[in-house]
């Protein structure tokens, strides 16, 4: 072999081996050493291959850390909640995505996967424990939820499962899918009892109960029109941003089972033991209370495959999701609210 040829091979080898080695050395040794923030590497594998490693990290309040996510086998979606608004999007095998952040308060946060990666996908969760060094004994901000506490005090069984053989689906008959827009036009011509005008009352009663009251007060009006007025009363109060945010949360975290239009026909619906609830069914949704839907989203379970989302979403995000679910049957404000 000529000397020049050997030299060329050496150069090629240097590029082939040296460059990646330098890049890796920079990423995993030099950069952490030079950086003032702590780097925490979190590797994600499909849940049956171990999930997140590590699945619990500890940081101090006020400390700036860089969380660096990579995936070893399947594509994951990485988000951190509640209330941080962090969604790093997809992380493909071999790819690295990172975020540098400072946790201001002591508490617990959850990093989780929001892309369907396996039947055990919803188990892909890890905990960020934020301690306050100035106040070492302090308990992390508690997860008290007055809505759930009120339901328990009232004796409502949040854990009841709606799909059992001896427990048929509650439905009321509605002649057509209600419409928020039609209801809004009618509302000034209808007597609306005081209870129905009270947002707290509406959250803790079903639209079906409200419809009965409205019918009693407006005997000359048609049932279908009054159902539209109920749809309008139930639709209130969200900003366009909240609705878009709820739609994104729904599409990433719920649609796989409940379906993009709430028809209960998502790609994995057939593999859940109980059928996911069909939010597009107005006659069913009219029997449901907002606070119960809220509690079920936060607590999950009910002996079914419904995951819990209370450690991922804020209380406000959960209410927005309830509204979004109602829009599938003409009652909420979501983009499908008046598609009928
Ligand atoms: C793994 C599949 C799956 C995913 C993902 C899922 N659900 Fe469910 N969900 C179910 C099943 C199954 C039920 C239970 C049906 C029953 O009670 O019989 C259910 C029940 C519910 C209920 C209770 C309905 C009622 O009338 O009692 C609500 C509300 C709900 N899901 C909302 C959501 C929201 C919001 C998300 C996303 C943040 C979500 N679900 C994600 C499968 C899923
Ligand atoms: Cu996943």
């Amino acid at each position: 072999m000529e000397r020049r040829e050997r030299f060329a091979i050496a150069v090629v080898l240097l590029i082939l081996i040296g460059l990646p080695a330098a890049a890796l050395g920079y990423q995993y040794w030099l950069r952490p050493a030079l950086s003032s923030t702590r780097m925490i590497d979190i590797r994600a594998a499909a849940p049956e291959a171990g999930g997140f490693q590590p699945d619990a990290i500890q940081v101090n309040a006020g400390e700036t850390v860089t969380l660096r996510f990579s995936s070893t086998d399947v594509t994951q979606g990485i988000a951190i909640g509640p209330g941080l608004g962090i969604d790093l999007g997809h992380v493909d095998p071999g790819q690295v995505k990172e975020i540098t952040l400072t946790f201001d308060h002591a508490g617990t946060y959850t990093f989780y996967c929001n892309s369907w990666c396996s039947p055990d996908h919803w188990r892909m969760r890890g905990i960020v424990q934020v301690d306050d060094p100035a106040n070492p004994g302090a308990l992390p901000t508690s997860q008290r939820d007055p809505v759930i506490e009120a339901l328990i005090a009232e004796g409502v069984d949040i854990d009841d499962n709606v799909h059992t053989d001896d427990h048929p689906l509650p439905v009321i008959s509605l002649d057509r899918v209600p419409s928020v827009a039609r209801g809004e036009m009618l509302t000034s011509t209808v007597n609306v009892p005081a209870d129905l005008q009270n947002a707290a009352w509406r959250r803790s009663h079903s639209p079906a109960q409200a419809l009965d009251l409205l019918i009693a007060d407006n005997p000359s009006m048609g049932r279908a029109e009054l159902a539209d007025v109920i749809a309008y009363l139930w639709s209130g109060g969200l900003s366009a941003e909240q609705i878009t945010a709820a739609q994104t949360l729904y599409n990433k975290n719920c649609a796989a089972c409940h379906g993009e239009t709430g028809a209960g026909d998502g790609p994995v619906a057939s593999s859940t033991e109980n059928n996911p609830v069909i939010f597009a069914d107005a006659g069913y949704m009219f029997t449901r209370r907002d606070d119960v839907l809220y509690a079920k989203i936060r607590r999950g379970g009910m002996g079914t495959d419904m995951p819990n989302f209370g450690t991922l979403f804020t209380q406000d995000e959960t209410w927005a999701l309830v509204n979004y679910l109602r829009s599938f049957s003409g009652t909420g404000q979501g983009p499908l609210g008046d598609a009928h």
Side-chain angles (χ1 to χ4, degrees), residues 220-237:
S220 62
M221 300 259 318
R223 181 180 165 86
E225 283 72 43
L226 293 176
D228 291 338
V229 173
I230 297 295
Y232 170 65
L233 290 171
W234 248 258
S235 71

Side-chain angles (χ1 to χ4, degrees), residues 256-257 264-276:
C257 291
D265 60 352
V268 300
S270 54
S271 60
T272 57
E273 209 174 303
N274 303 66
N275 297 329

Side-chain angles (χ1 to χ4, degrees), residues 322-337:
V322 169
N323 185 287
Y324 190 73
L325 303 184
R326 288 213 181 271
S327 74
F328 294 130
S329 58
T331 307
Q333 280 175 280
L336 293 161

Side-chain angles (χ1 to χ4, degrees), residues 12-35:
V12 168
L13 280 180
L14 193 69
I15 292 173
L16 281 181
I17 300 167
L19 262 185
L24 278 176
Y26 172 73
Q27 277 295 329
Y28 285 93
W29 173 72
L30 195 59
R31 192 164 154 236
L34 291 178
S35 153

Side-chain angles (χ1 to χ4, degrees), residues 116 160-163 253-254 257-258 272 274-277 279 284 288 293 296-297 302 304-307 309 313 321 325:
W116 198 269
D160 79 327
N161 156 0
V162 293
H163 283 92
N253 296 285
C254 324
C257 291
H258 292 283
T272 57
N274 303 66
N275 297 329
V277 164
F279 303 122
Y284 170 70
R288 313 309 283 164
L293 297 173
K296 289 191 172 207
I297 297 170
M302 305 152 324
T304 72
D305 294 327
M306 170 67 192
F309 293 95
F313 305 154
L321 270 168
L325 303 184

